[in-house]
Amino acid sequence: MKRIDPRAVQARRMEGWIASAISVVLIIGLLWLTMAYGWPVWIAGWSAAAVLLFIVLELAVLPGLLYRFWRYEITEKNVELNHGVWVRRKTLIPMVRIQHVDSKQGPIQKIYGLSTVTFSTAAGSHRIPALSEHEAENIRKQISDWAGGTDGEL
Amino acid sequence: MSSNPGPLTINRRLHPVSILYFLIHSGKELAGLLPLIPFCIFLIHRVFGKEIDRIVLTVCVIAAAAIMLIVFAWLRWRRFVYRVEDGVLYMEQGLWVRRKIWITKERIQSLDITVSLYDRMFGLVRLEMETSGGKEEPEAVLSSISAAEAARIQREIGMADPEEAKSETSSSGDSLVQAERPNTAPLNSMRLSLGQTLILSTTSGKFAILWMVIVGGGLKLWDEWVRDTPIWDQLSPRLMVLGIPGLIVILVVLSWLLAFAGAFLLEFGFRVEAEGRTLTIERGILERKRTVIKPHRIQAIRITQNPLHKLFRRASVRMVIAGSSDEEKKAVDLFPLVRYDELPMRMAAFLPGFRLPQTWNPVGRKSYRSYTVLPVLICILLAAAAWLLAPGIWRWLAWVLPLFAWGASSLEYRKAAWSREENQLHIRYGSFSEKTVLIPISKVQWHKTSQTPFQAGKELATLKVAVASGKSGDKISLRHASASDVDMLTDWLSGKQ
């Protein structure tokens, strides 16, 4: 089974930085409100503690876990996705069921040269969150070769 | 009703009665703008002050909105043309954006013929066709065409009615209503008697939902309008006499009556027939609807037994259908109410591909706690909070909640089972009502196993199977089954065995 691209850790951490910055700004706003209107201190205190925990999770814990707990395998017959930190999930999509494959790139992913690949079936879609652009392109081509032959019946 | 003679065939136009259909249709689309009406009234009131009477103003605004809707509906009708040639349905429609659609007969998966109240007076029907494409491809709707024209289109696209071939039908829409032929083939045709329709309507569980819709819609109007009118002043003292318990009883009885009437009107004269390659379902009294379905569209079968049905040894059977973009049409009733002991025979006649399982494999004793502990724990916390915060003697009642959760989850544990026979997977679940799903493995789109650390400790796992239906599919779960069983099932589903 293959792992996702290691740069996923950095990309995820970058997202974490942005989310952390926003939450810090919110906390500063809350502190100001507490000062200005004499709100009870415990509101700001507990919120600050929660945000601190959130930042630690976002920057130190989650990016690594995301990378470590993602595996995928694409064979001629099936697409298999294994992921999940707390709940271990194993998804299996038969190749004949795949209707189309998309790869897309958000602004942060673009910086790191990553793509998200989405597999669509008649019953919803599944995705691999961070693959190198090259790998994503390969998968897309590969699947259009494998899945293209069969069509029609649901 | 024809205009624009084309080079090959004539473009046809719908009967003018279809303006009503467009009116209702665009009315539904614009229902979201409804709260704007009180807002408009409020605004005009603010601008012009008190000299305008509130009631006159309301009438004016509503009249203006109604006229606008009618003009739009008329325009929609004017711009709608269609023709059928060589098994291709061509339609041209649209108010702002002109849309031209070609649909070949191979793409048409199911067909609905509805006789609505307004159509019946003119002997017209509404023909709706669904394609296999799902999301993006539009559904074709021909509202208010003559029954003969509908039959012609059905023949052109190769989905003629079973009885069409046997007997001639009169050209009026009433032929649907007077469908009183002798029952020649009792096995592949089934109808619901009046008594059964009554039982079904009485036990319909839909009234809770209906009730919420009524309350939700009512409350919206409440604050803005009713309180300002004399109606409230007259009504409130009379209602208050009954007190709160009285009011609740009245509301429950009323909503039940509404649900009963609704279900009765919808289900009356239910009839299902299997003929050749298609299933034909007919139902309804005010709005008579006939649905023709190709059997390969059926993705799974759901059998439900709610406690009341169980008491009478009855069950209801629905089909999960692929390719419909409409979320409400994901499942279609096959037998709204059927005797449980007759079910295997009926299934054999109507759904040759599906069979009821012979034996069930329950999830096993190991998973008892997986089912019960979490719901009970959550309910204990909730009950404790309620017990601490609520005043008076009634707070002790909160402790019923965990007991209830324990009962429900124990039932869920007892119902959960699976079975694997030939090329079908069967999953049974539910707490108070028992649900059985029959899935041919050739219809499974994907499957997923998941395992929490708790489950891993007890060697349990959850299996989720998805079949095509609606926009995002229909997912069926087998929770907390033994991990080795789940592994065996996934190997089987992925063709490794």
Side-chain angles (χ1 to χ4, degrees), chain B residues 2 11 14 111 160 179 192 199 216 255 276 383 393 400 469 473:
Chain B
S2 60
N11 275 346
L14 307 171
L111 188 131
L192 215 58
I199 293 175
S255 54
I393 195 82
V400 175
S469 168

Side-chain angles (χ1 to χ4, degrees), chain A residues 27-78:
Chain A
I27 282 295
I28 290 170
L30 194 64
L31 275 176
W32 179 78
L33 283 171
T34 309
M35 303 284 222
Y37 296 99
W39 284 7
V41 181
W42 62 269
I43 297 178
W46 281 108
S47 308
V51 163
L52 203 69
L53 186 72
F54 172 75
I55 291 174
V56 169
L57 279 176
E58 282 286 307
L59 296 183
V61 183
L62 287 177
L65 284 182
L66 169 84
Y67 169 68
R68 211 174 310 146
F69 285 94
W70 246 104
R71 297 278 193 290
Y72 71 94
E73 188 167 50
I74 295 165
T75 64
E76 203 164 336
K77 271 187 148 176
N78 294 310

